[in-house]
Amino acid sequence: MSVDESNNVHTRLQVHNCVVQPLLTDLYQITMAYAYWKSEKTSDTAVFDLFFRQNPFQGEFTIFGGLEECLRFLENFNYSDSDIEYLKTTLPPTIEQSFFVYLKELTAKDVKLYAIDEGSVVFPRVPLIRVEGPLIVVQLLETTLLTLVNFSSLMATNAARYRMAAGDNVSLLEFGLRRAQGPDGGLSASKYAYIGGFDGTSNLLAGKMFNIPVKGTHAHAYITSFSNPSELKTKTLINLNNGKEQDLIDLTLSWRTTLSNLLHISESQASDGELAALVSFAIAFPEGFVALIDTYDVNKSGILNFCAVALALNDLGYKAIGVRIDSGDLAYLSNKSRETFVKIAKEYNIPWFANLTIIASNDINEETIWSLNDQKHSIDCFGIGTHLVTCQRQPALGCVYKLVEVNGTPRIKLSQDGSKITMPGKKDAFRLYGADGFALIDLLKKSVEDPPIAKTKLLCRHPFDQKKRAFVVPSEIKPLYKVYWENGHIMQRLPELKEVREHVKESLRTIRPDIKRNLNPTPYKVSVSDDLYEFMHELWMRNTPIGELS
């Protein structure tokens, strides 16, 4: 791709989060940069891998998110005058002034970034991003890249798990802004919930910035702010059938009396304040009437009042949308509501009434949805907040950023904890597929090795267990990495959010059901080539101190 073409593919990046800047980092990145500079390592080059060690939420897959934000960060990477002045007051006075001149001139133009496509299903130990370039610069990128990938990937994965629990026929709405970890956490949650499979958000700013559909109803406060229909100042609505103004309160009260007999619900127990609130809301939104019906009692008040208003609207040529239930036994209440809608539809020959939307909220988590599925609920849409946006089940993914090569020489980090040993050197990743179309295994090879060939027997080895190895004859092989950043430019067309969302679905379809299941999922295998295995273990032995017995 030419530079001109690369300029064209990233013009969509118009919104930049001003919080994401070089100073959004840890102090030790700057102190290391100075120590590198002082050691005259400004000409050294390095390769870093960004990866995670374990899938979140006791699952066996992860969705990669945050790549576009990383590229946006690279586009805008430079220290401002105020950044430099701040660093001068923060770092020790012994820091040489010429170091600050050096920092001021730094950009990411000499960095090269390889990455897996955003929205892809990814697995532990396979680098999501490989960063190459001047040692000091790529070191300074570490913390910011990690914070951009960690929460985004965790959030997209959480949302994808909710989508799988709910199934394809139930809508999911993200209602979590008020419970999110601050405004930026709320915006990121809305964005990556949508990528992971949610259909909309209540977050208006996220809707504006990311073109996500926005949805919402009203709160209990709206219901409790009314006490009686007589207090309504606006009582009429235009009848679409004849164009005349008609009193919606009188029509609703008449329907409530009729329905109380049909549904065997005492009209005296139904809240007049709730009725007034619903009539008021229906007058304001006659073609988008969705009502919260659990403020007092769903079965004794809410469902009766809602249906009375909905039938009154129907008489005037409008179709109500549905109800939201925010407390109580959601399976039971949704089924009772559906039974009521079906009964009314049959009684008055209004077929669409049977299919009114039932929205459920109330601190729902993934396990709640699985439980409701077992109870055969009648819910059409879940509104999910706290557990989704805060990732309460697991609050961090744990991505790391590890040095694997300096000046063309591989580096390895050793640890008594085997899971923390790094795989050295520059590597390429490939996904191997079986004849059934499902992914079989991810294979890491040294970048200098020839790429694997489809329909050819390959030896795949566990990175650290010499006994675990297998021959694989893949029907198809897909390289996972693309060059996304080079020579100061984005090198790939960046997809719209909807496209990333579709890619999540497509990528998940290539993963076997037993790997994606909720309980006791099968681990997906990540392997290395025989050459990489031998090279890694030789380097491991070379760098491991030899003990001495006395």
Side-chain angles (χ1 to χ4, degrees), residues 316-338:
L316 302 184
Y318 303 94
K319 289 183 179 180
I321 303 299
V323 299
R324 178 163 73 96
I325 304 171
D326 191 48
S327 62
D329 187 331
L330 297 179
Y332 167 74
L333 292 173
S334 68
N335 287 332
K336 288 292 289 183
S337 297
R338 181 67 66 208

Side-chain angles (χ1 to χ4, degrees), residues 252-264 267 304 348:
T252 298
L253 288 171
S254 175
W255 268 115
R256 188 168 76 168
T257 300
T258 301
L259 287 176
S260 67
N261 295 321
L262 175 69
L263 303 178
H264 306 292
E267 189 174 6
L304 176 61
Y348 301 109

Side-chain angles (χ1 to χ4, degrees), residues 33 125 170 221 243 269 273 277 321 370 441 443 456 492 503 506 516:
R125 291 199 167 276
V170 174
Q269 294 188 62
I321 303 299
W370 287 113
I441 197 168
L443 175 66
T456 302
Q492 305 289 337
H503 181 59
E506 293 167 8
K516 297 181 291 186

